[in-house]
Amino acid sequence: MKPRVAILISGRGSNMVALVRAAKAEDFPAEIVVVISNRADAGGIESANQSGIPTVTIESRRFGKDRAAFEAELQSELDRHGIDLICLGGFMRLLTAEFAQRWFGRMLNIHPSLLPSFPGLDPQGQALRAGVKISGATVHFVIPETDAGPIVMQGAVAVSDDDTADTLAARILEIEHRIYPDALRLVASGKVRLEGDICKTADSAGSGDTLISPAVA
């Protein structure tokens, strides 16, 4: 049987849409069985419903700062749906170390920078202020530390001198939509193994492409 996947969202869920679209292929090695939101007004709920994916809302506001109580209800829903893997798709609720450890090696997140550079908030702004010439997105396993888990896959884009945080974010988002489904495919098919803090991928190879920025005429 295919691993059963839950996607956790807080907003529009654009990465959720990319994952759901990819998982509709017959040869995709995972099944997305539920989308869980911590906000009733999350735009991704409607998108999931339109795709025929069941949705669950667990309003995090009613739990206040009691993250353990929120996660107990979340875990109950994950158990009820027989979940094997979790994908965070713009999920803005902080998770406890206990929850992250419970799902270690089975919970993925995507971050719009080439980690370990620029973790946390405003990664595109951080990249521009640092003057980097290449940025991108990273799919990684979740650990208690923020944006610090073992890296599964990365994709890169060139940074232009006239980029703003918004224009850079838009190009990185396109990369996110490409690599998140591919990363889930690798993990669900059992081709990713953890060696300490490092992910190794069976039969892996680079794309053969070299990205150099800026280009010189």
Side-chain angles (χ1 to χ4, degrees):
M1 293 180 61
K2 295 181 178 181
R4 294 169 62 85
V5 179
I7 304 176
L8 275 53
I9 65 169
S10 296
R12 60 180 178 170
S14 68
N15 273 303
M16 175 207 74
V17 172
L19 290 167
V20 169
R21 184 182 298 119
K24 287 183 177 180
E26 290 187 6
D27 65 345
F28 197 83
E31 178 185 6
I32 296 170
V33 299
V34 68
V35 169
I36 301 175
S37 174
N38 71 314
R39 293 180 53 175
D41 61 350
I45 295 174
E46 182 177 356
S47 297
N49 288 332
Q50 290 175 351
S51 297
I53 307 296
T55 60
V56 174
T57 298
I58 306 172
E59 277 280 6
S60 55
R61 286 182 297 181
R62 63 186 173 89
F63 293 94
K65 296 182 179 180
D66 192 348
R67 289 189 287 162
F70 168 79
E71 289 170 1
E73 188 164 330
L74 173 59
Q75 185 62 52
S76 177
E77 287 295 336
L78 297 171
D79 291 340
R80 185 168 72 88
H81 287 87
I83 298 303
D84 302 299
L85 297 170
I86 297 173
C87 290
L88 304 183
F91 186 68
M92 302 306 293
R93 178 80 174 181
L94 290 175
L95 298 169
T96 64
E98 291 77 14
F99 189 87
Q101 289 164 351
R102 179 173 188 169
W103 285 92
F104 178 69
R106 298 184 295 150
M107 180 161 54
L108 293 170
N109 185 41
I110 191 161
H111 182 75
S113 78
L114 295 176
L115 294 173
S117 297
F118 316 128
L121 299 175
D122 190 27
Q124 299 91 349
Q126 291 184 60
L128 292 175
R129 289 189 291 274
V132 300
K133 306 306 179 186
I134 295 172
S135 189
T138 302
V139 180
H140 63 95
F141 285 116
V142 176
I143 64 173
E145 293 74 26
T146 301
D147 300 328
I151 292 169
V152 179
M153 186 176 287
Q154 293 180 303
V157 299
V159 179
S160 302
D161 288 343
D162 59 355
D163 263 326
T164 65
D166 288 340
T167 61
L168 180 57
R171 290 206 309 287
I172 291 175
L173 188 61
E174 294 179 6
I175 291 290
E176 292 181 46
H177 294 168
R178 290 172 57 185
I179 68 172
Y180 211 171
D182 284 346
L184 177 58
R185 180 186 293 273
L186 287 177
V187 172
S189 61
K191 292 185 178 180
V192 173
R193 70 182 187 277
L194 283 167
E195 295 185 3
D197 296 330
I198 304 296
C199 283
K200 298 293 182 69
T201 306
D203 304 321
S204 66
S207 65
D209 296 328
T210 298
L211 175 58
I212 297 174
S213 178
V216 178

